[in-house]
Amino acid sequence: MSERRNRDSAPWLVLGLTIAAAMTVWWLSPGSAIDRALFTWVARGFYNPPVQIDPGPDRGWLLSFADGRNARRDPFVSISLGDDPQGIFQESPQSPVDLAVVFSNTHRLGARHAASAVVLAWDDPDAVGIAALEQSMDAFDSITTCAPVTRGAVPQPMPPAFRRSSLDASTVAGGGGLPVVNRLPVPDVFLGGDRSFAGFQRIESEPDDGRHLLAIWGDRVIPSFALVVAMQQAGVQPSELVVRLGKSIGLGADGPLIPIDGAGRLDPRVASPPSVQRIAAEELIDRRELIVETTDARAVVLYDDRSIAEPATRRFSEQLSGTLGAILATCEPMRAKPYPASGIAIDWLLLGALCLGLAAGSTSRSSFAGGVSLLVVSAGWAALVICAFALLDCWLPASAGISAIAVALAYRTVITRRGPS
């Protein structure tokens, strides 16, 4: 008689427990880390990174994502520094004077922003040639240079061009996962004049995957060459970067987001085939047609395509197009879309129906039937939350429903361990 009463009262017990759990979590969950995680998980199933989640109106969330409808799809322009088989330049490999000619013609043909993916280093450079190169580079509104970095036993002072592009390590959330560097492995590399910015070409002390965007040098965080080029295009100063490791790099407080992992590497999911307009460096000398409009914010990038370049430099040149293409593809206008809660009446009605289904399934005598019932009810709740997000642009109380499911599952587990009554 006692067992029968227990069996008859079990559904009411489960119903009361699940309702209590659901209502408690429903009251506490808006804006919580658990609810944010659930909303983010659902949102990433429908939107490619980068996405940003903020508390929204009516107990809901505000989703910001890259709006590809208004994005510029113009290819970025690259100047290819090759082997010069026709002997157009004075020296082979090209001297500082030769590169000064390249940069002067690039500026003459419309470019106001330039970047050199060529490491500017010579064994015995001519002082006059270096002065001419610096003068030609200073003509641009912004100029970016690069050099490899590494971690060695003897640290070096950070070069001024790297310091100008760096940011305080204390401003980076979760900066402990970044690779550490402290020197340039290439001696006497030229990084431009007093107005130039520099980013690292590669990190020699790390696997050469070409996707590192950040590294720590002393108490500063330095950006990669590709990231500095993106900053050039967005018109953002290093101090305006908003870095959250494992999430994103924001080009300004309200600017585009570049998704990164905890080690500062570019999220591979944003990789896209780049659109590149490539022009040989020797063609610039007699060219009359502009390579970009003078009002264009895109940086013209000088690539090193010479066969004498080191294998690591050639790999960098091969990877740079894809990395730059992926980063610049994320530099799109961000669109904000609210996902408010469905309302108190609808929330309570749906949670009540869920709790009824859980009470019926978790008290079944058959272990198999009870497990299947709980699985069906749980899957139905997940489908309902996802459909409301996708079709109705609203957010159901997902975390409250999960708490009710967890209580019913815990009850079912206890009953199963006790054995059939």
Side-chain angles (χ1 to χ4, degrees), residues 310-331:
E310 295 181 357
T313 298
R314 289 200 295 270
R315 283 197 304 273
F316 170 71
S317 295
E318 292 168 359
Q319 295 167 344
L320 182 59
S321 294
T323 304
L324 266 177
I327 291 177
L328 298 180
T330 68
C331 295

mmCIF file of all heavy atoms in Angstrom, residues 310-331:
data_model
loop_
_atom_site.group_PDB
_atom_site.id
_atom_site.type_symbol
_atom_site.label_atom_id
_atom_site.label_comp_id
_atom_site.label_asym_id
_atom_site.label_seq_id
_atom_site.Cartn_x
_atom_site.Cartn_y
_atom_site.Cartn_z
ATOM 1 N N GLU A 310 64.551 33.778 -48.181
ATOM 2 C CA GLU A 310 64.634 32.609 -47.317
ATOM 3 C C GLU A 310 63.311 31.835 -47.359
ATOM 4 O O GLU A 310 62.254 32.409 -47.606
ATOM 5 C CB GLU A 310 64.920 33.040 -45.876
ATOM 6 C CG GLU A 310 66.273 33.710 -45.691
ATOM 7 C CD GLU A 310 66.500 34.101 -44.239
ATOM 8 O OE1 GLU A 310 65.572 33.900 -43.423
ATOM 9 O OE2 GLU A 310 67.597 34.600 -43.931
ATOM 10 N N PRO A 311 63.376 30.508 -47.132
ATOM 11 C CA PRO A 311 62.131 29.712 -47.140
ATOM 12 C C PRO A 311 61.072 30.246 -46.185
ATOM 13 O O PRO A 311 59.876 30.253 -46.519
ATOM 14 C CB PRO A 311 62.614 28.317 -46.717
ATOM 15 C CG PRO A 311 64.045 28.273 -47.139
ATOM 16 C CD PRO A 311 64.565 29.661 -46.956
ATOM 17 N N ALA A 312 61.481 30.725 -45.007
ATOM 18 C CA ALA A 312 60.510 31.259 -44.048
ATOM 19 C C ALA A 312 59.839 32.510 -44.599
ATOM 20 O O ALA A 312 58.633 32.717 -44.401
ATOM 21 C CB ALA A 312 61.186 31.567 -42.718
ATOM 22 N N THR A 313 60.600 33.341 -45.310
ATOM 23 C CA THR A 313 60.025 34.548 -45.908
ATOM 24 C C THR A 313 59.057 34.190 -47.020
ATOM 25 O O THR A 313 57.995 34.810 -47.162
ATOM 26 C CB THR A 313 61.151 35.453 -46.447
ATOM 27 O OG1 THR A 313 61.988 35.851 -45.361
ATOM 28 C CG2 THR A 313 60.584 36.682 -47.124
ATOM 29 N N ARG A 314 59.398 33.174 -47.823
ATOM 30 C CA ARG A 314 58.485 32.763 -48.891
ATOM 31 C C ARG A 314 57.185 32.196 -48.314
ATOM 32 O O ARG A 314 56.104 32.448 -48.844
ATOM 33 C CB ARG A 314 59.174 31.736 -49.802
ATOM 34 C CG ARG A 314 60.273 32.336 -50.664
ATOM 35 C CD ARG A 314 60.587 31.436 -51.855
ATOM 36 N NE ARG A 314 61.142 30.158 -51.418
ATOM 37 C CZ ARG A 314 62.449 29.934 -51.259
ATOM 38 N NH1 ARG A 314 63.313 30.902 -51.480
ATOM 39 N NH2 ARG A 314 62.889 28.753 -50.883
ATOM 40 N N ARG A 315 57.308 31.427 -47.213
ATOM 41 C CA ARG A 315 56.093 30.917 -46.574
ATOM 42 C C ARG A 315 55.227 32.061 -46.055
ATOM 43 O O ARG A 315 54.010 32.042 -46.171
ATOM 44 C CB ARG A 315 56.457 29.970 -45.424
ATOM 45 C CG ARG A 315 56.885 28.590 -45.853
ATOM 46 C CD ARG A 315 56.828 27.610 -44.688
ATOM 47 N NE ARG A 315 57.623 28.049 -43.543
ATOM 48 C CZ ARG A 315 58.908 27.785 -43.388
ATOM 49 N NH1 ARG A 315 59.566 27.098 -44.324
ATOM 50 N NH2 ARG A 315 59.563 28.211 -42.319
ATOM 51 N N PHE A 316 55.897 33.060 -45.479
ATOM 52 C CA PHE A 316 55.157 34.222 -44.982
ATOM 53 C C PHE A 316 54.414 34.912 -46.123
ATOM 54 O O PHE A 316 53.238 35.282 -45.973
ATOM 55 C CB PHE A 316 56.130 35.191 -44.306
ATOM 56 C CG PHE A 316 55.522 36.529 -43.977
ATOM 57 C CD1 PHE A 316 54.588 36.657 -42.966
ATOM 58 C CD2 PHE A 316 55.904 37.660 -44.688
ATOM 59 C CE1 PHE A 316 54.034 37.896 -42.660
ATOM 60 C CE2 PHE A 316 55.359 38.896 -44.393
ATOM 61 C CZ PHE A 316 54.420 39.009 -43.381
ATOM 62 N N SER A 317 55.073 35.100 -47.251
ATOM 63 C CA SER A 317 54.421 35.746 -48.389
ATOM 64 C C SER A 317 53.237 34.926 -48.891
ATOM 65 O O SER A 317 52.192 35.470 -49.263
ATOM 66 C CB SER A 317 55.428 35.962 -49.520
ATOM 67 O OG SER A 317 56.435 36.873 -49.142
ATOM 68 N N GLU A 318 53.386 33.596 -48.901
ATOM 69 C CA GLU A 318 52.295 32.739 -49.354
ATOM 70 C C GLU A 318 51.105 32.783 -48.390
ATOM 71 O O GLU A 318 49.947 32.765 -48.819
ATOM 72 C CB GLU A 318 52.800 31.299 -49.496
ATOM 73 C CG GLU A 318 53.810 31.109 -50.615
ATOM 74 C CD GLU A 318 54.498 29.749 -50.543
ATOM 75 O OE1 GLU A 318 54.192 28.985 -49.600
ATOM 76 O OE2 GLU A 318 55.344 29.466 -51.410
ATOM 77 N N GLN A 319 51.391 32.845 -47.086
ATOM 78 C CA GLN A 319 50.318 32.846 -46.095
ATOM 79 C C GLN A 319 49.679 34.214 -45.928
ATOM 80 O O GLN A 319 48.520 34.306 -45.514
ATOM 81 C CB GLN A 319 50.869 32.383 -44.742
ATOM 82 C CG GLN A 319 51.355 30.945 -44.711
ATOM 83 C CD GLN A 319 52.162 30.643 -43.453
ATOM 84 O OE1 GLN A 319 52.614 31.547 -42.750
ATOM 85 N NE2 GLN A 319 52.347 29.368 -43.167
ATOM 86 N N LEU A 320 50.429 35.265 -46.256
ATOM 87 C CA LEU A 320 49.960 36.610 -45.946
ATOM 88 C C LEU A 320 48.673 36.963 -46.680
ATOM 89 O O LEU A 320 47.785 37.600 -46.108
ATOM 90 C CB LEU A 320 51.055 37.625 -46.276
ATOM 91 C CG LEU A 320 50.735 39.087 -45.958
ATOM 92 C CD1 LEU A 320 50.435 39.256 -44.479
ATOM 93 C CD2 LEU A 320 51.891 39.987 -46.388
ATOM 94 N N SER A 321 48.546 36.549 -47.939
ATOM 95 C CA SER A 321 47.332 36.869 -48.686
ATOM 96 C C SER A 321 46.101 36.292 -48.003
ATOM 97 O O SER A 321 45.079 36.967 -47.853
ATOM 98 C CB SER A 321 47.437 36.338 -50.120
ATOM 99 O OG SER A 321 48.439 36.998 -50.835
ATOM 100 N N GLY A 322 46.197 35.020 -47.580
ATOM 101 C CA GLY A 322 45.064 34.403 -46.905
ATOM 102 C C GLY A 322 44.767 35.048 -45.562
ATOM 103 O O GLY A 322 43.604 35.282 -45.211
ATOM 104 N N THR A 323 45.826 35.347 -44.781
ATOM 105 C CA THR A 323 45.620 35.963 -43.473
ATOM 106 C C THR A 323 45.038 37.359 -43.607
ATOM 107 O O THR A 323 44.072 37.715 -42.920
ATOM 108 C CB THR A 323 46.953 36.027 -42.700
ATOM 109 O OG1 THR A 323 47.498 34.717 -42.593
ATOM 110 C CG2 THR A 323 46.735 36.590 -41.313
ATOM 111 N N LEU A 324 45.609 38.168 -44.508
ATOM 112 C CA LEU A 324 45.080 39.512 -44.719
ATOM 113 C C LEU A 324 43.650 39.465 -45.248
ATOM 114 O O LEU A 324 42.784 40.231 -44.819
ATOM 115 C CB LEU A 324 45.966 40.272 -45.700
ATOM 116 C CG LEU A 324 47.074 41.147 -45.112
ATOM 117 C CD1 LEU A 324 47.902 41.758 -46.226
ATOM 118 C CD2 LEU A 324 46.502 42.217 -44.215
ATOM 119 N N GLY A 325 43.404 38.539 -46.197
ATOM 120 C CA GLY A 325 42.053 38.420 -46.737
ATOM 121 C C GLY A 325 41.049 38.064 -45.668
ATOM 122 O O GLY A 325 39.941 38.602 -45.625
ATOM 123 N N ALA A 326 41.431 37.153 -44.765
ATOM 124 C CA ALA A 326 40.521 36.748 -43.692
ATOM 125 C C ALA A 326 40.282 37.891 -42.713
ATOM 126 O O ALA A 326 39.152 38.136 -42.293
ATOM 127 C CB ALA A 326 41.100 35.537 -42.955
ATOM 128 N N ILE A 327 41.360 38.612 -42.345
ATOM 129 C CA ILE A 327 41.199 39.722 -41.397
ATOM 130 C C ILE A 327 40.355 40.829 -42.005
ATOM 131 O O ILE A 327 39.402 41.336 -41.382
ATOM 132 C CB ILE A 327 42.573 40.263 -40.971
ATOM 133 C CG1 ILE A 327 43.298 39.237 -40.097
ATOM 134 C CG2 ILE A 327 42.426 41.574 -40.216
ATOM 135 C CD1 ILE A 327 44.691 39.664 -39.701
ATOM 136 N N LEU A 328 40.674 41.225 -43.220
ATOM 137 C CA LEU A 328 39.941 42.321 -43.837
ATOM 138 C C LEU A 328 38.503 41.949 -44.135
ATOM 139 O O LEU A 328 37.628 42.815 -44.206
ATOM 140 C CB LEU A 328 40.656 42.783 -45.110
ATOM 141 C CG LEU A 328 42.071 43.332 -44.893
ATOM 142 C CD1 LEU A 328 42.693 43.751 -46.217
ATOM 143 C CD2 LEU A 328 42.048 44.508 -43.927
ATOM 144 N N ALA A 329 38.234 40.642 -44.305
ATOM 145 C CA ALA A 329 36.851 40.209 -44.505
ATOM 146 C C ALA A 329 36.012 40.431 -43.255
ATOM 147 O O ALA A 329 34.795 40.582 -43.326
ATOM 148 C CB ALA A 329 36.802 38.731 -44.904
ATOM 149 N N THR A 330 36.666 40.418 -42.078
ATOM 150 C CA THR A 330 35.932 40.664 -40.831
ATOM 151 C C THR A 330 35.720 42.149 -40.584
ATOM 152 O O THR A 330 34.914 42.515 -39.727
ATOM 153 C CB THR A 330 36.680 40.074 -39.617
ATOM 154 O OG1 THR A 330 37.891 40.804 -39.410
ATOM 155 C CG2 THR A 330 37.001 38.611 -39.840
ATOM 156 N N CYS A 331 36.449 42.999 -41.293
ATOM 157 C CA CYS A 331 36.344 44.440 -41.060
ATOM 158 C C CYS A 331 35.135 44.999 -41.790
ATOM 159 O O CYS A 331 35.250 45.789 -42.734
ATOM 160 C CB CYS A 331 37.627 45.147 -41.510
ATOM 161 S SG CYS A 331 39.066 44.656 -40.536
#
